[in-house]
Amino acid sequence: MLVGCPKEIKPQEFRVGLTPAAAAEVIAHGHKVLVQTGAGIGSGFPDNDYTDIGAQIAPDADSVFDDADMIVKVKEPQAAERKMLRQGQVLFTYLHLAPDPDQTRDLLHSGVTAIAYETVTDRAGGLPLLAPMSEVAGKLAPQVGAWTLQKANGGRGVLMGGVPGVGPARVVVIGGGVVGTHAAKVAAGMGADVTVLDRSLPRMRYLDDVFGGTFKTQFASGTNIAEQIAQADMVVGAVLIPGAAAPKLITKAQLSTMKPAAVLVDVAIDQGGCFETSRATTHQDPIYDVDGIMHYCVANMPGAVARTSTIALGNATLPFLLALADKGWRQAIVDDPHLRAGLSTHEGILTSPPVGEALNLEA
Ligand code: NAD
């Protein structure tokens, strides 16, 4: 099979679908790899990293889309890319079709067999191809929050770990899933005093078992959230209700109860945000002030650390990619119902019931 990897064209996207290490494994399994020139540059992988392990370099996207049996990407195909997809070809990438009727229509029209990273499942009921990006965003949250806390950036001028004789910053993390746990670990590692609030008792039992002593847990009732945010220097929003918009857990009126120039980092902004005053920002202009409270709400946080994110994503996608290449997509999804959960479109048929429901289409 010829596995093709085009350069991402979505603005500010520096990740690449195939690392040289992953490409080497694909080649070791007897397949060919075709990478568009410059595809890996944003993640620190020049063309010769790919040619060194036996991949071929294509001069443009057309050559990759024309020749490849399977296209491996990061972001959903943009309109120009969708025109190059065809029946008989497999597309393996993030799709996020539910809010995107134009893309869904184009994929159906192309006939491509599209498998979405974000709906592939695992035995524990998790989303193994989404988790690496949540890990990255979670670990970044205290880092960007600490920067925002600096006086020159509008924050309270509080150091995360304090110094001898001066106490640490108080960090409150709302949502103790993948993002929240990684955020809490890093904030605690920086020396902050950290509390994680969640509504899931099993999750808090797990966090307490594993991290008791490193950070505290508390049930996410409205009263507890109100008490915690009044004392916080930084609040990280990390909740998720699968398939739904994030609940608004801090209102605009509550901002006046917070310490002046405290910082809100809303990681859940890609699901609409969990603070009433959140609106999506970009890496170019990441923070803004509402009523004296600094907000950081970048919707694609992993893009800030494209190299780490690319490698983390590649580690997670590789076993699925090898199964698709070795067995062909039909046998691969018969053998693995978790990969089957990613199948979204095939030869003009929508195969994802949740997407059908969201877009009012037959699936
Ligand atoms: P997850 O499912 O692992 O964790 C979500 C947690 O939220 C769960 O533990 C759940 O019990 C808890 N929760 C749900 N409702 C709650 C409530 N009302 N109060 C308190 N806790 C509540 O999800 P995740 O992978 O950690 O993702 C969290 C959010 O981060 C999602 O919205 C995800 O899309 C987003 N995310 C954003 C970026 C970015 O770049 N901005 C990157 C990755 C993930």
Side-chain angles (χ1 to χ4, degrees), residues 118-149:
E118 71 275 8
T119 55
V120 172
T121 52
D122 64 21
R123 270 189 216 163
L127 301 169
L129 304 188
L130 261 193
M133 296 305 101
S134 289
E135 290 162 358
V136 169
K139 286 199 160 178
L140 263 177
Q143 193 171 310
V144 297
W147 176 82
T148 311
L149 266 178

PDB file of all heavy atoms in Angstrom, residues 118-149:
ATOM      1  N   GLU A 118     -11.007  11.035  16.171  1.00  0.00           N
ATOM      2  CA  GLU A 118     -11.640  11.406  17.444  1.00  0.00           C
ATOM      3  C   GLU A 118     -12.742  10.448  17.886  1.00  0.00           C
ATOM      4  O   GLU A 118     -13.182  10.537  19.034  1.00  0.00           O
ATOM      5  CB  GLU A 118     -12.187  12.843  17.390  1.00  0.00           C
ATOM      6  CG  GLU A 118     -13.409  13.061  16.513  1.00  0.00           C
ATOM      7  CD  GLU A 118     -13.059  13.308  15.051  1.00  0.00           C
ATOM      8  OE1 GLU A 118     -11.884  13.168  14.670  1.00  0.00           O
ATOM      9  OE2 GLU A 118     -13.985  13.656  14.287  1.00  0.00           O
ATOM     10  N   THR A 119     -13.182   9.549  17.000  1.00  0.00           N
ATOM     11  CA  THR A 119     -14.224   8.612  17.445  1.00  0.00           C
ATOM     12  C   THR A 119     -13.709   7.175  17.584  1.00  0.00           C
ATOM     13  O   THR A 119     -14.482   6.276  17.903  1.00  0.00           O
ATOM     14  CB  THR A 119     -15.462   8.653  16.522  1.00  0.00           C
ATOM     15  OG1 THR A 119     -15.052   8.412  15.184  1.00  0.00           O
ATOM     16  CG2 THR A 119     -16.160   9.996  16.604  1.00  0.00           C
ATOM     17  N   VAL A 120     -12.419   6.956  17.337  1.00  0.00           N
ATOM     18  CA  VAL A 120     -11.833   5.644  17.641  1.00  0.00           C
ATOM     19  C   VAL A 120     -11.854   5.479  19.167  1.00  0.00           C
ATOM     20  O   VAL A 120     -11.567   6.425  19.902  1.00  0.00           O
ATOM     21  CB  VAL A 120     -10.385   5.564  17.093  1.00  0.00           C
ATOM     22  CG1 VAL A 120      -9.694   4.288  17.570  1.00  0.00           C
ATOM     23  CG2 VAL A 120     -10.385   5.634  15.568  1.00  0.00           C
ATOM     24  N   THR A 121     -12.232   4.291  19.619  1.00  0.00           N
ATOM     25  CA  THR A 121     -12.402   4.068  21.070  1.00  0.00           C
ATOM     26  C   THR A 121     -11.339   3.088  21.593  1.00  0.00           C
ATOM     27  O   THR A 121     -10.563   2.534  20.814  1.00  0.00           O
ATOM     28  CB  THR A 121     -13.803   3.487  21.355  1.00  0.00           C
ATOM     29  OG1 THR A 121     -14.007   2.348  20.514  1.00  0.00           O
ATOM     30  CG2 THR A 121     -14.889   4.512  21.088  1.00  0.00           C
ATOM     31  N   ASP A 122     -11.355   2.882  22.911  1.00  0.00           N
ATOM     32  CA  ASP A 122     -10.519   1.825  23.483  1.00  0.00           C
ATOM     33  C   ASP A 122     -11.352   0.990  24.465  1.00  0.00           C
ATOM     34  O   ASP A 122     -12.511   1.307  24.711  1.00  0.00           O
ATOM     35  CB  ASP A 122      -9.240   2.386  24.133  1.00  0.00           C
ATOM     36  CG  ASP A 122      -9.530   3.275  25.325  1.00  0.00           C
ATOM     37  OD1 ASP A 122     -10.621   3.169  25.901  1.00  0.00           O
ATOM     38  OD2 ASP A 122      -8.650   4.076  25.694  1.00  0.00           O
ATOM     39  N   ARG A 123     -10.735  -0.056  25.013  1.00  0.00           N
ATOM     40  CA  ARG A 123     -11.472  -0.985  25.873  1.00  0.00           C
ATOM     41  C   ARG A 123     -12.032  -0.313  27.109  1.00  0.00           C
ATOM     42  O   ARG A 123     -13.045  -0.724  27.641  1.00  0.00           O
ATOM     43  CB  ARG A 123     -10.550  -2.121  26.315  1.00  0.00           C
ATOM     44  CG  ARG A 123     -10.602  -3.273  25.358  1.00  0.00           C
ATOM     45  CD  ARG A 123      -9.852  -4.444  25.952  1.00  0.00           C
ATOM     46  NE  ARG A 123      -9.186  -5.140  24.854  1.00  0.00           N
ATOM     47  CZ  ARG A 123      -8.207  -5.985  24.992  1.00  0.00           C
ATOM     48  NH1 ARG A 123      -7.731  -6.248  26.188  1.00  0.00           N
ATOM     49  NH2 ARG A 123      -7.694  -6.570  23.955  1.00  0.00           N
ATOM     50  N   ALA A 124     -11.356   0.721  27.583  1.00  0.00           N
ATOM     51  CA  ALA A 124     -11.793   1.383  28.817  1.00  0.00           C
ATOM     52  C   ALA A 124     -12.888   2.417  28.531  1.00  0.00           C
ATOM     53  O   ALA A 124     -13.305   3.135  29.436  1.00  0.00           O
ATOM     54  CB  ALA A 124     -10.608   2.054  29.487  1.00  0.00           C
ATOM     55  N   GLY A 125     -13.320   2.494  27.280  1.00  0.00           N
ATOM     56  CA  GLY A 125     -14.351   3.474  26.926  1.00  0.00           C
ATOM     57  C   GLY A 125     -13.772   4.847  26.646  1.00  0.00           C
ATOM     58  O   GLY A 125     -14.507   5.829  26.510  1.00  0.00           O
ATOM     59  N   GLY A 126     -12.454   4.937  26.565  1.00  0.00           N
ATOM     60  CA  GLY A 126     -11.799   6.225  26.291  1.00  0.00           C
ATOM     61  C   GLY A 126     -11.629   6.467  24.798  1.00  0.00           C
ATOM     62  O   GLY A 126     -12.055   5.651  23.963  1.00  0.00           O
ATOM     63  N   LEU A 127     -11.047   7.603  24.482  1.00  0.00           N
ATOM     64  CA  LEU A 127     -10.810   8.006  23.093  1.00  0.00           C
ATOM     65  C   LEU A 127      -9.297   8.137  22.909  1.00  0.00           C
ATOM     66  O   LEU A 127      -8.721   9.203  23.142  1.00  0.00           O
ATOM     67  CB  LEU A 127     -11.532   9.333  22.805  1.00  0.00           C
ATOM     68  CG  LEU A 127     -13.051   9.290  23.023  1.00  0.00           C
ATOM     69  CD1 LEU A 127     -13.662  10.684  22.988  1.00  0.00           C
ATOM     70  CD2 LEU A 127     -13.730   8.386  21.993  1.00  0.00           C
ATOM     71  N   PRO A 128      -8.640   7.036  22.514  1.00  0.00           N
ATOM     72  CA  PRO A 128      -7.175   6.988  22.571  1.00  0.00           C
ATOM     73  C   PRO A 128      -6.473   7.955  21.619  1.00  0.00           C
ATOM     74  O   PRO A 128      -5.306   8.277  21.835  1.00  0.00           O
ATOM     75  CB  PRO A 128      -6.852   5.539  22.194  1.00  0.00           C
ATOM     76  CG  PRO A 128      -8.029   5.084  21.396  1.00  0.00           C
ATOM     77  CD  PRO A 128      -9.215   5.775  21.991  1.00  0.00           C
ATOM     78  N   LEU A 129      -7.190   8.401  20.571  1.00  0.00           N
ATOM     79  CA  LEU A 129      -6.522   9.305  19.631  1.00  0.00           C
ATOM     80  C   LEU A 129      -6.817  10.775  19.955  1.00  0.00           C
ATOM     81  O   LEU A 129      -6.256  11.669  19.344  1.00  0.00           O
ATOM     82  CB  LEU A 129      -6.899   8.966  18.183  1.00  0.00           C
ATOM     83  CG  LEU A 129      -6.604   7.509  17.785  1.00  0.00           C
ATOM     84  CD1 LEU A 129      -6.823   7.297  16.289  1.00  0.00           C
ATOM     85  CD2 LEU A 129      -5.176   7.098  18.168  1.00  0.00           C
ATOM     86  N   LEU A 130      -7.723  11.001  20.913  1.00  0.00           N
ATOM     87  CA  LEU A 130      -7.942  12.362  21.431  1.00  0.00           C
ATOM     88  C   LEU A 130      -7.088  12.605  22.671  1.00  0.00           C
ATOM     89  O   LEU A 130      -6.634  13.719  22.921  1.00  0.00           O
ATOM     90  CB  LEU A 130      -9.408  12.552  21.828  1.00  0.00           C
ATOM     91  CG  LEU A 130     -10.351  13.254  20.881  1.00  0.00           C
ATOM     92  CD1 LEU A 130     -11.640  13.593  21.615  1.00  0.00           C
ATOM     93  CD2 LEU A 130      -9.747  14.524  20.301  1.00  0.00           C
ATOM     94  N   ALA A 131      -6.875  11.529  23.455  1.00  0.00           N
ATOM     95  CA  ALA A 131      -6.202  11.671  24.747  1.00  0.00           C
ATOM     96  C   ALA A 131      -4.836  12.362  24.659  1.00  0.00           C
ATOM     97  O   ALA A 131      -4.541  13.226  25.506  1.00  0.00           O
ATOM     98  CB  ALA A 131      -6.070  10.304  25.422  1.00  0.00           C
ATOM     99  N   PRO A 132      -4.007  12.044  23.639  1.00  0.00           N
ATOM    100  CA  PRO A 132      -2.684  12.698  23.640  1.00  0.00           C
ATOM    101  C   PRO A 132      -2.789  14.226  23.570  1.00  0.00           C
ATOM    102  O   PRO A 132      -1.995  14.929  24.184  1.00  0.00           O
ATOM    103  CB  PRO A 132      -1.996  12.159  22.379  1.00  0.00           C
ATOM    104  CG  PRO A 132      -2.765  10.967  21.966  1.00  0.00           C
ATOM    105  CD  PRO A 132      -4.140  11.079  22.526  1.00  0.00           C
ATOM    106  N   MET A 133      -3.791  14.730  22.835  1.00  0.00           N
ATOM    107  CA  MET A 133      -3.917  16.191  22.722  1.00  0.00           C
ATOM    108  C   MET A 133      -4.460  16.784  24.024  1.00  0.00           C
ATOM    109  O   MET A 133      -4.125  17.906  24.398  1.00  0.00           O
ATOM    110  CB  MET A 133      -4.803  16.572  21.535  1.00  0.00           C
ATOM    111  CG  MET A 133      -4.222  16.171  20.193  1.00  0.00           C
ATOM    112  SD  MET A 133      -2.544  16.800  19.885  1.00  0.00           S
ATOM    113  CE  MET A 133      -1.531  15.377  20.228  1.00  0.00           C
ATOM    114  N   SER A 134      -5.276  16.017  24.753  1.00  0.00           N
ATOM    115  CA  SER A 134      -5.732  16.478  26.066  1.00  0.00           C
ATOM    116  C   SER A 134      -4.570  16.481  27.052  1.00  0.00           C
ATOM    117  O   SER A 134      -4.471  17.368  27.906  1.00  0.00           O
ATOM    118  CB  SER A 134      -6.859  15.584  26.585  1.00  0.00           C
ATOM    119  OG  SER A 134      -8.037  15.806  25.847  1.00  0.00           O
ATOM    120  N   GLU A 135      -3.699  15.494  26.927  1.00  0.00           N
ATOM    121  CA  GLU A 135      -2.515  15.468  27.801  1.00  0.00           C
ATOM    122  C   GLU A 135      -1.647  16.699  27.552  1.00  0.00           C
ATOM    123  O   GLU A 135      -1.182  17.356  28.495  1.00  0.00           O
ATOM    124  CB  GLU A 135      -1.703  14.186  27.547  1.00  0.00           C
ATOM    125  CG  GLU A 135      -2.415  12.928  28.039  1.00  0.00           C
ATOM    126  CD  GLU A 135      -1.890  11.635  27.440  1.00  0.00           C
ATOM    127  OE1 GLU A 135      -0.975  11.673  26.579  1.00  0.00           O
ATOM    128  OE2 GLU A 135      -2.392  10.570  27.815  1.00  0.00           O
ATOM    129  N   VAL A 136      -1.459  17.016  26.263  1.00  0.00           N
ATOM    130  CA  VAL A 136      -0.634  18.187  25.919  1.00  0.00           C
ATOM    131  C   VAL A 136      -1.299  19.462  26.444  1.00  0.00           C
ATOM    132  O   VAL A 136      -0.652  20.286  27.115  1.00  0.00           O
ATOM    133  CB  VAL A 136      -0.427  18.278  24.390  1.00  0.00           C
ATOM    134  CG1 VAL A 136       0.193  19.614  24.013  1.00  0.00           C
ATOM    135  CG2 VAL A 136       0.443  17.128  23.887  1.00  0.00           C
ATOM    136  N   ALA A 137      -2.588  19.638  26.153  1.00  0.00           N
ATOM    137  CA  ALA A 137      -3.279  20.877  26.575  1.00  0.00           C
ATOM    138  C   ALA A 137      -3.289  20.988  28.097  1.00  0.00           C
ATOM    139  O   ALA A 137      -3.118  22.081  28.655  1.00  0.00           O
ATOM    140  CB  ALA A 137      -4.709  20.888  26.029  1.00  0.00           C
ATOM    141  N   GLY A 138      -3.476  19.852  28.781  1.00  0.00           N
ATOM    142  CA  GLY A 138      -3.485  19.879  30.241  1.00  0.00           C
ATOM    143  C   GLY A 138      -2.140  20.316  30.795  1.00  0.00           C
ATOM    144  O   GLY A 138      -2.066  21.153  31.698  1.00  0.00           O
ATOM    145  N   LYS A 139      -1.069  19.771  30.250  1.00  0.00           N
ATOM    146  CA  LYS A 139       0.256  20.143  30.759  1.00  0.00           C
ATOM    147  C   LYS A 139       0.606  21.588  30.410  1.00  0.00           C
ATOM    148  O   LYS A 139       1.358  22.248  31.133  1.00  0.00           O
ATOM    149  CB  LYS A 139       1.319  19.184  30.211  1.00  0.00           C
ATOM    150  CG  LYS A 139       1.243  17.822  30.890  1.00  0.00           C
ATOM    151  CD  LYS A 139       2.511  17.025  30.744  1.00  0.00           C
ATOM    152  CE  LYS A 139       2.559  15.950  31.832  1.00  0.00           C
ATOM    153  NZ  LYS A 139       3.733  15.096  31.749  1.00  0.00           N
ATOM    154  N   LEU A 140       0.065  22.083  29.293  1.00  0.00           N
ATOM    155  CA  LEU A 140       0.334  23.480  28.900  1.00  0.00           C
ATOM    156  C   LEU A 140      -0.420  24.476  29.775  1.00  0.00           C
ATOM    157  O   LEU A 140       0.043  25.608  29.962  1.00  0.00           O
ATOM    158  CB  LEU A 140      -0.122  23.706  27.452  1.00  0.00           C
ATOM    159  CG  LEU A 140       0.906  23.611  26.344  1.00  0.00           C
ATOM    160  CD1 LEU A 140       0.201  23.790  24.995  1.00  0.00           C
ATOM    161  CD2 LEU A 140       1.992  24.657  26.496  1.00  0.00           C
ATOM    162  N   ALA A 141      -1.594  24.075  30.279  1.00  0.00           N
ATOM    163  CA  ALA A 141      -2.482  25.042  30.939  1.00  0.00           C
ATOM    164  C   ALA A 141      -1.801  25.805  32.084  1.00  0.00           C
ATOM    165  O   ALA A 141      -1.850  27.045  32.121  1.00  0.00           O
ATOM    166  CB  ALA A 141      -3.766  24.345  31.413  1.00  0.00           C
ATOM    167  N   PRO A 142      -1.120  25.119  33.034  1.00  0.00           N
ATOM    168  CA  PRO A 142      -0.453  25.887  34.093  1.00  0.00           C
ATOM    169  C   PRO A 142       0.705  26.729  33.570  1.00  0.00           C
ATOM    170  O   PRO A 142       0.997  27.808  34.105  1.00  0.00           O
ATOM    171  CB  PRO A 142       0.086  24.800  35.037  1.00  0.00           C
ATOM    172  CG  PRO A 142      -0.609  23.555  34.666  1.00  0.00           C
ATOM    173  CD  PRO A 142      -0.983  23.675  33.228  1.00  0.00           C
ATOM    174  N   GLN A 143       1.343  26.233  32.498  1.00  0.00           N
ATOM    175  CA  GLN A 143       2.473  26.969  31.900  1.00  0.00           C
ATOM    176  C   GLN A 143       1.979  28.311  31.336  1.00  0.00           C
ATOM    177  O   GLN A 143       2.550  29.357  31.632  1.00  0.00           O
ATOM    178  CB  GLN A 143       3.044  26.078  30.791  1.00  0.00           C
ATOM    179  CG  GLN A 143       4.378  26.465  30.245  1.00  0.00           C
ATOM    180  CD  GLN A 143       4.906  25.364  29.315  1.00  0.00           C
ATOM    181  OE1 GLN A 143       4.934  24.184  29.656  1.00  0.00           O
ATOM    182  NE2 GLN A 143       5.324  25.741  28.129  1.00  0.00           N
ATOM    183  N   VAL A 144       0.888  28.275  30.549  1.00  0.00           N
ATOM    184  CA  VAL A 144       0.376  29.532  29.978  1.00  0.00           C
ATOM    185  C   VAL A 144      -0.303  30.372  31.072  1.00  0.00           C
ATOM    186  O   VAL A 144      -0.253  31.612  31.042  1.00  0.00           O
ATOM    187  CB  VAL A 144      -0.596  29.298  28.798  1.00  0.00           C
ATOM    188  CG1 VAL A 144       0.131  28.615  27.649  1.00  0.00           C
ATOM    189  CG2 VAL A 144      -1.817  28.490  29.204  1.00  0.00           C
ATOM    190  N   GLY A 145      -0.910  29.691  32.033  1.00  0.00           N
ATOM    191  CA  GLY A 145      -1.543  30.422  33.138  1.00  0.00           C
ATOM    192  C   GLY A 145      -0.501  31.151  33.972  1.00  0.00           C
ATOM    193  O   GLY A 145      -0.714  32.292  34.403  1.00  0.00           O
ATOM    194  N   ALA A 146       0.660  30.505  34.204  1.00  0.00           N
ATOM    195  CA  ALA A 146       1.728  31.125  34.990  1.00  0.00           C
ATOM    196  C   ALA A 146       2.268  32.365  34.271  1.00  0.00           C
ATOM    197  O   ALA A 146       2.569  33.385  34.891  1.00  0.00           O
ATOM    198  CB  ALA A 146       2.851  30.115  35.229  1.00  0.00           C
ATOM    199  N   TRP A 147       2.356  32.271  32.955  1.00  0.00           N
ATOM    200  CA  TRP A 147       2.827  33.408  32.149  1.00  0.00           C
ATOM    201  C   TRP A 147       1.811  34.547  32.248  1.00  0.00           C
ATOM    202  O   TRP A 147       2.168  35.709  32.422  1.00  0.00           O
ATOM    203  CB  TRP A 147       3.007  32.938  30.689  1.00  0.00           C
ATOM    204  CG  TRP A 147       3.404  34.010  29.735  1.00  0.00           C
ATOM    205  CD1 TRP A 147       4.661  34.483  29.517  1.00  0.00           C
ATOM    206  CD2 TRP A 147       2.527  34.744  28.860  1.00  0.00           C
ATOM    207  NE1 TRP A 147       4.629  35.468  28.571  1.00  0.00           N
ATOM    208  CE2 TRP A 147       3.341  35.648  28.144  1.00  0.00           C
ATOM    209  CE3 TRP A 147       1.167  34.721  28.615  1.00  0.00           C
ATOM    210  CZ2 TRP A 147       2.816  36.528  27.194  1.00  0.00           C
ATOM    211  CZ3 TRP A 147       0.648  35.592  27.674  1.00  0.00           C
ATOM    212  CH2 TRP A 147       1.459  36.483  26.974  1.00  0.00           C
ATOM    213  N   THR A 148       0.516  34.186  32.173  1.00  0.00           N
ATOM    214  CA  THR A 148      -0.534  35.217  32.248  1.00  0.00           C
ATOM    215  C   THR A 148      -0.562  35.857  33.640  1.00  0.00           C
ATOM    216  O   THR A 148      -0.891  37.045  33.772  1.00  0.00           O
ATOM    217  CB  THR A 148      -1.912  34.595  31.903  1.00  0.00           C
ATOM    218  OG1 THR A 148      -1.796  33.841  30.698  1.00  0.00           O
ATOM    219  CG2 THR A 148      -2.979  35.663  31.722  1.00  0.00           C
ATOM    220  N   LEU A 149      -0.193  35.086  34.659  1.00  0.00           N
ATOM    221  CA  LEU A 149      -0.172  35.629  36.030  1.00  0.00           C
ATOM    222  C   LEU A 149       0.896  36.708  36.218  1.00  0.00           C
ATOM    223  O   LEU A 149       0.843  37.472  37.181  1.00  0.00           O
ATOM    224  CB  LEU A 149       0.095  34.501  37.035  1.00  0.00           C
ATOM    225  CG  LEU A 149      -1.091  33.811  37.686  1.00  0.00           C
ATOM    226  CD1 LEU A 149      -0.597  32.698  38.617  1.00  0.00           C
ATOM    227  CD2 LEU A 149      -1.966  34.793  38.464  1.00  0.00           C
TER     228      LEU A 149
END
